Amino acid sequence: MARNGKLATDLVQKLERDIVTGVLKPGDKLDERSLSERFGVSRTPVREALQTLAGSGLVATMPRRGTIVASITVADLIEMFEVMAELEAMCARLAARRMARVDVEKLLALGGECDKLQEHADADAYYEANVNFHEVIYAGCRNSFLERQTKNVRNRLAPYRRLQLHRPGRVKKSNAEHAGILEAISTGDAERAAKLMHQHVAVQGEALNDLLAIVPRGYLEPLAS
Amino acid sequence: MARNGKLATDLVQKLERDIVTGVLKPGDKLDERSLSERFGVSRTPVREALQTLAGSGLVATMPRRGTIVASITVADLIEMFEVMAELEAMCARLAARRMARVDVEKLLALGGECDKLQEHADADAYYEANVNFHEVIYAGCRNSFLERQTKNVRNRLAPYRRLQLHRPGRVKKSNAEHAGILEAISTGDAERAAKLMHQHVAVQGEALNDLLAIVPRGYLEPLAS
DNA sequence: TAGACATTTCTGGTATACAAAAACTCGTGG
DNA sequence: CCACGAGTTTTTGTATACCAGAAATGTCTA
């Protein structure tokens, strides 16, 4: 999609990883000068990288006031989860209809892996496997545009989703939901797959309260932007 | 969202308008130097503007080979319409549940306007009113993230959607479909609104063949990218 | 005449220099 | 002690200069 020079592209990837994996947290300031010396390039590619990231929404830049890792309002968070649920549901629906047999096998294997990790209660390892599970479904929808779109929203929500898994019981529940989705997809029940995925991803009711309660201060903007 | 300097922001808006309204067509080359002298600025803001547009997918830039107005493959077109239908359906579903009474009134008024213009068979004027109709529904979903996301995809499809309305009978059919959607939303029938909107936007079967038949050469990439 | 190789030219990628605006500091006055 | 303001500093936005890679062109040879 957005291909800039080689240096800038590298920076985009590195910064993106740092943001998605939580090394850089929402609200962190991204100073052009520091970044440029840290990576040993001039400010130009740094600016281009920030520009690209701003386009995908991972960072926010205010004119003449610099750029920070995007932090969102509570309203934004709710809205984005609402859209995320729909996008993932669509992926699941299409995957149930279109996924090749070999990919279903792969998905089954990943489901098993999640099962194992879930028992060991290693939240971070489970998170990895969980990401893989979902990505195989994204790919299974056979709509690369939808796949990109979904991944983009997921990346933007990553800092907040990550928090959820550290809650006791969440991993086990998540894994149980995977089983249902897996079954629906492997039997080709598109609507059921969509419905289950929607429920799996949506954050509503008490789950929303729980999430908001554990979001560290600074991850969310005050109402006055 | 992506705020850069003032000059760059202006350029983004101007270029975006030119692309969406069809002044610049898919495949057109966007030479940095020409643009910079045409707008009387240096190459830097031009590059930043192109960068931003590349982020939203309206232009494509290949390293060392310059940037062009994004042209997509047939597969991309199909994929994007598939997602577009789902996003607009979601907007309609939420709008049916959430729209304030006064906004429903506005929508009814716009529906009437479309009716009038449809009778005069002025495709361009109808296109305008049609855009407004849809935008009121976007706003009615009360999810600004979804609204932005939907508008973004719509903009990317604009060059291709525009073509459809110049087909005989399409305007009348489109307008009839609006009536159904309008009715579903004003009576709060969310699922019906979603379903009708999905059908309204989706391009499938013969409609897809028709669209592909009238897309000018150059609007679509050959398979070998 | 056709094809391949070399050269040239053009365009994009990067670095640096300069200008302008915001943030910070420090001092003064209430 | 706090508030306010002028001057300094920091940081972003823009312009320009330089470099490198790719396409185009021209020439030489088979």
Side-chain angles (χ1 to χ4, degrees):
Chain A
M1 179 161 33
R3 299 294 288 276
N4 21 24
K6 197 169 178 317
L7 294 185
T9 306
D10 279 1
L11 291 184
V12 168
Q13 289 175 356
K14 282 178 187 163
L15 289 173
E16 192 169 295
R17 241 205 10 235
D18 282 356
I19 295 172
V20 170
T21 63
V23 175
L24 289 169
K25 298 188 201 356
D28 283 1
K29 202 148 185 290
L30 294 174
D31 174 46
E32 295 178 0
R33 202 193 203 74
S34 325
L35 290 175
S36 72
E37 26 190 83
R38 177 175 152 207
F39 290 109
V41 297
S42 88
R43 273 179 56 219
T44 308
V46 170
R47 278 181 71 79
E48 304 215 333
L50 293 178
Q51 198 80 19
T52 298
L53 290 171
S56 71
L58 278 176
V59 307
T61 112
M62 285 92 79
R64 297 271 171 199
R65 301 193 53 189
T67 105
I68 60 172
V69 178
S71 72
I72 60 185
T73 66
V74 174
D76 290 333
L77 190 73
I78 294 172
E79 291 180 356
M80 289 169 72
F81 267 107
E82 191 166 63
V83 175
M84 187 72 198
E86 199 84 14
L87 288 176
E88 292 233 24
M90 184 178 175
C91 286
R93 178 186 299 116
L94 295 178
R97 277 162 39 190
R98 301 176 178 174
M99 222 168 178
R101 201 68 229 171
V102 296
D103 293 325
V104 174
E105 306 293 343
K106 198 190 291 178
L107 199 60
L108 287 167
L110 278 169
E113 195 177 321
C114 284
D115 276 339
K116 275 209 195 70
L117 292 169
Q118 173 255 317
E119 286 164 13
H120 292 74
D122 181 347
D124 287 322
Y126 180 81
Y127 188 83
E128 277 301 317
N130 175 60
V131 166
N132 287 337
F133 181 84
H134 282 269
E135 292 212 341
V136 169
I137 295 177
Y138 301 163
C141 77
R142 299 304 176 100
N143 182 324
S144 59
F145 180 71
L146 174 60
E147 188 180 349
R148 280 199 304 276
Q149 209 80 355
T150 306
K151 280 187 181 174
N152 179 42
V153 179
R154 183 204 53 187
N155 282 349
R156 293 183 61 177
L157 282 172
Y160 306 91
R161 288 187 103 167
R162 176 172 279 273
L163 295 168
Q164 291 184 291
L165 286 179
H166 289 284
R167 284 162 42 209
R170 174 62 200 170
V171 166
K172 180 176 280 185
K173 183 152 179 288
S174 163
N175 196 53
E177 291 170 355
H178 279 193
I181 293 166
L182 203 44
E183 199 258 343
I185 289 180
S186 68
T187 60
D189 188 340
E191 285 317 313
R192 182 172 158 78
K195 188 179 172 191
L196 290 176
M197 181 62 91
H198 195 286
Q199 289 172 358
H200 177 57
V201 174
V203 176
Q204 297 167 327
E206 294 185 345
L208 176 60
N209 293 339
D210 290 344
L211 174 59
L212 291 179
I214 60 176
V215 172
R217 111 180 43 246
Y219 272 50
L220 293 177
E221 280 176 31
L223 282 179
S225 173
Chain B
M1 181 162 30
R3 300 293 289 276
N4 20 25
K6 199 169 177 315
L7 294 186
T9 306
D10 280 0
L11 292 184
V12 168
Q13 290 174 356
K14 281 178 188 163
L15 289 173
E16 192 170 295
R17 239 201 16 232
D18 282 356
I19 294 172
V20 170
T21 62
V23 175
L24 288 169
K25 298 189 200 356
D28 283 0
K29 204 150 184 289
L30 295 173
D31 174 50
E32 295 180 359
R33 276 181 165 79
S34 323
L35 288 175
S36 73
E37 32 190 79
R38 176 175 152 207
F39 290 107
V41 298
S42 87
R43 274 179 56 218
T44 308
V46 170
R47 279 182 69 80
E48 304 215 333
L50 293 179
Q51 198 79 19
T52 298
L53 290 171
S56 71
L58 279 176
V59 307
T61 112
M62 285 92 81
R64 297 272 169 199
R65 301 192 51 191
T67 105
I68 59 172
V69 177
S71 72
I72 62 184
T73 66
V74 174
D76 288 333
L77 190 73
I78 294 172
E79 290 181 356
M80 290 169 72
F81 267 108
E82 191 166 64
V83 174
M84 187 71 199
E86 199 84 15
L87 288 175
E88 292 233 24
M90 185 179 176
C91 287
R93 177 185 300 116
L94 295 179
R97 277 161 40 189
R98 300 176 179 174
M99 222 168 177
R101 200 68 228 171
V102 297
D103 293 326
V104 174
E105 306 294 344
K106 199 190 291 180
L107 199 59
L108 286 167
L110 278 170
E113 195 177 321
C114 284
D115 276 339
K116 273 212 195 69
L117 292 169
Q118 172 255 317
E119 286 165 14
H120 292 73
D122 181 347
D124 287 323
Y126 180 81
Y127 188 82
E128 278 301 318
N130 175 59
V131 167
N132 287 337
F133 180 83
H134 282 268
E135 292 212 341
V136 170
I137 294 178
Y138 301 163
C141 75
R142 299 304 177 102
N143 183 322
S144 59
F145 180 71
L146 175 60
E147 187 180 349
R148 280 199 304 276
Q149 208 81 354
T150 307
K151 280 186 182 174
N152 180 40
V153 179
R154 184 205 51 188
N155 281 348
R156 292 183 62 177
L157 282 172
Y160 307 92
R161 288 186 103 167
R162 176 173 279 275
L163 296 169
Q164 291 184 291
L165 286 178
H166 288 284
R167 282 163 42 210
R170 174 63 199 170
V171 166
K172 180 176 281 186
K173 184 152 179 287
S174 164
N175 195 53
E177 290 169 355
H178 279 193
I181 293 166
L182 202 45
E183 200 257 341
I185 289 180
S186 68
T187 60
D189 189 342
E191 286 317 312
R192 183 172 156 77
K195 187 179 173 190
L196 291 176
M197 181 61 92
H198 196 287
Q199 290 172 357
H200 177 56
V201 174
V203 176
Q204 297 167 328
E206 295 186 345
L208 176 60
N209 293 338
D210 291 344
L211 174 59
L212 291 180
I214 61 175
V215 171
R217 109 181 45 244
Y219 272 51
L220 293 177
E221 280 176 32
L223 283 179
S225 174

